Amino acid sequence: MTITGTPVGDVELAVVTPVGTRRRDPLPLLVAHDGPEYSRRSHLLSALRAATADGRVPPNRVVLLEPGDRNARYAANPLWGDALVEHVLPALHTAYALDGRPTLMGASLGALASLEAEWHHPGTFGALFLQSGSFFRRRVDDEEDFEFWGRVTRFVTNVRRVRRRRTDARIVLTCGGDEGNLANNRQMAETLAASGHDVSFTEVPGRHDWPSWEHAFDPHLLDLLDLAARRSRE
């Protein structure tokens, strides 16, 4: 699908529907930033097919988002959150029957974009799966040369200033023990917990790369999808 007329231009995506289901069958929805890379390099769809076959998660429709101008869109850009919530999701609701609130996932800047979208549109997503998020902070991260450093650090600072829960989404963070984002992920998890959010953080083996993110799917993503499905039935 191509979603036109959004604040960041056209958004390209692919929708993967489980075999044997139809558009009008209400199914949970998983939306993945950097979706094609998640599929090709972290074998996201294969992991979900296997888990579904084993009865660990229900069948999910999966939206694979093309990043486009990735840094400009994903680096704490509120226009990207607006495009996702106000344009992409309504188009999906028109084309498919959905069960419950979607789960949103991403890695690195995609994790940051996932949190930003729910932060500015609370209640849109039922769950967030954030891998190695680029939650940059001054005096913690040596990334000042990144072109959107100021925008990212301002958003992270705003999150840290919140004193009460902003979203009821279940938030699961994972981060590799051998990567540079470990400290800021720990701090983000502590910040969210202190303001009353439903959050967990797990340090996993690995680095800031697709194989490490793939290894964290089981059990962390699978457990989150199972929980999101059970909550939608309550």
Side-chain angles (χ1 to χ4, degrees):
M1 299 174 64
T2 300
I3 313 300
T4 61
T6 87
V8 296
D10 291 354
V11 176
E12 305 280 348
L13 59 89
V15 182
V16 182
T17 299
V19 174
T21 63
R22 299 173 297 179
R23 285 176 177 259
R24 293 297 94 194
D25 294 334
L27 297 177
L29 187 70
L30 173 63
V31 181
H33 284 100
D34 295 304
E37 292 293 279
Y38 257 127
S39 178
R40 183 174 66 88
R41 302 179 67 180
S42 289
H43 311 102
L44 173 64
L45 299 177
S46 297
L48 293 176
R49 279 195 295 267
T52 302
D54 291 342
R56 297 183 60 187
V57 299
N60 277 258
R61 283 196 182 89
V62 183
V63 176
L64 304 176
L65 294 168
E66 293 272 4
D69 188 350
R70 185 176 187 273
N71 286 359
R73 287 182 172 183
Y74 288 4
N77 183 352
L79 294 180
W80 171 250
D82 293 346
L84 190 59
V85 173
E86 298 173 0
H87 295 265
V88 173
L89 290 183
L92 293 168
H93 276 281
T94 298
Y96 299 92
L98 307 180
D99 181 20
R101 289 186 287 168
T103 296
L104 184 60
M105 68 181 291
S108 193
L109 285 177
L112 176 71
S114 298
L115 180 61
E116 191 279 336
E118 174 64 14
W119 200 257
H120 287 111
H121 300 271
T124 301
F125 299 96
L128 303 177
F129 185 62
L130 313 180
Q131 297 192 274
S132 305
S134 298
F135 306 123
F136 299 149
R137 293 191 62 208
R138 292 179 175 85
R139 297 185 300 276
V140 174
D141 298 289
D142 185 22
E143 299 285 350
E144 288 88 347
D145 291 337
F146 178 57
E147 57 186 322
F148 298 110
W149 166 261
R151 197 165 71 190
V152 172
T153 55
R154 282 193 298 273
F155 171 70
V156 172
T157 297
N158 288 338
V159 173
R160 292 180 60 83
R161 288 174 175 166
V162 168
R163 292 294 177 263
R164 65 180 65 181
R165 187 174 69 180
R166 188 174 180 87
T167 169
D168 65 352
R170 171 62 175 166
I171 306 172
V172 172
L173 296 91
T174 68
C175 192
D178 297 318
E179 64 164 285
N181 279 348
L182 182 58
N184 66 52
N185 273 252
R186 283 176 177 159
Q187 292 179 2
M188 178 58 74
E190 293 168 357
T191 293
L192 292 170
S195 52
H197 292 85
D198 180 9
V199 61
S200 72
F201 169 73
T202 304
E203 181 180 332
V204 297
R207 300 179 180 274
H208 196 85
D209 55 34
W210 293 103
S212 298
W213 296 328
E214 177 183 0
H215 293 154
F217 291 164
D218 189 357
H220 306 292
L221 174 61
L222 302 184
D223 286 350
L224 182 62
L225 293 176
D226 177 62
L227 174 63
R230 286 190 281 109
R231 283 184 172 180
S232 74
R233 295 192 293 267
E234 294 176 352

